[in-house]
Amino acid sequence: MAAIIIIVIIVLIAIVFVVSYNGLVRLRNRIDSAWSQIGVQLERRHDLIPNLIETVKGYAAHERGTLEGVVEARNAAIQAKSAGPEQQAQAENVLTGALKSLFALAEAYPDLKANQNFLSLQEELTSTEDRIAYSRQFYNDSVMKYDNKIQSIPSNIIAGNFGFKPEPLFQVTDDKERQAPQVKF
């Protein structure tokens, strides 16, 4: 009888181990997938920006500083792709701020605001920004679930022994990124 109880306890411990380990793997894979979706949407945004810049150049060529700022921020964001979530988030936040300045600049040029190509690109970029926001939220939710799991008993024992590490959130790091841009002429 004692042998059966010991076998049942060992089997239960094994089941808890397998379920916990598989849960951690599933969450880690969900984070990887969510990060890939952010990458797809950011790539889409990066591809739209040169067309937007070319359209704006025709109407606001003397606003060179704003245009160059957007191009520089885009290039920095592209280079940050392989740097990891924290560095890429920072670069993308700078790009978001530069784009806000560009759209605010468009308010001063009625002909530009009426240009169908500009309106189409602006709509496409706005749609992409919404997708990025959703992807960031999904990624951050996945990271939170994963981080909670690796810090909770009994998963924390398995996580520590099998190299499951906390993942960084994709978040706004600069207070000025949270504020609306100001345009001065």
Side-chain angles (χ1 to χ4, degrees), residues 45 49 52-53 65-74 91-105 177 181:
R45 175 166 78 167
I49 290 172
L52 188 64
I53 292 293
T66 302
L67 297 174
E68 287 175 356
V70 172
V71 171
E72 289 172 10
R74 175 188 178 262
E92 291 298 334
N93 289 334
V94 171
L95 178 56
T96 298
L99 287 171
K100 285 179 184 176
S101 296
L102 181 66
F103 287 132
L105 177 74
E177 293 299 321

Side-chain angles (χ1 to χ4, degrees), residues 21-35 139 142-143 145-147 150 159 162-165 167:
Y21 182 84
N22 287 342
L24 289 170
V25 169
R26 262 191 312 279
L27 289 172
R28 184 174 57 193
N29 290 343
R30 183 181 294 167
I31 288 170
D32 291 343
S33 175
W35 182 248
Y139 172 82
S142 297
V143 166
K145 288 176 187 174
Y146 172 78
D147 287 350
I150 66 172
F162 288 94
F164 290 91
K165 304 282 186 221
E167 294 287 335

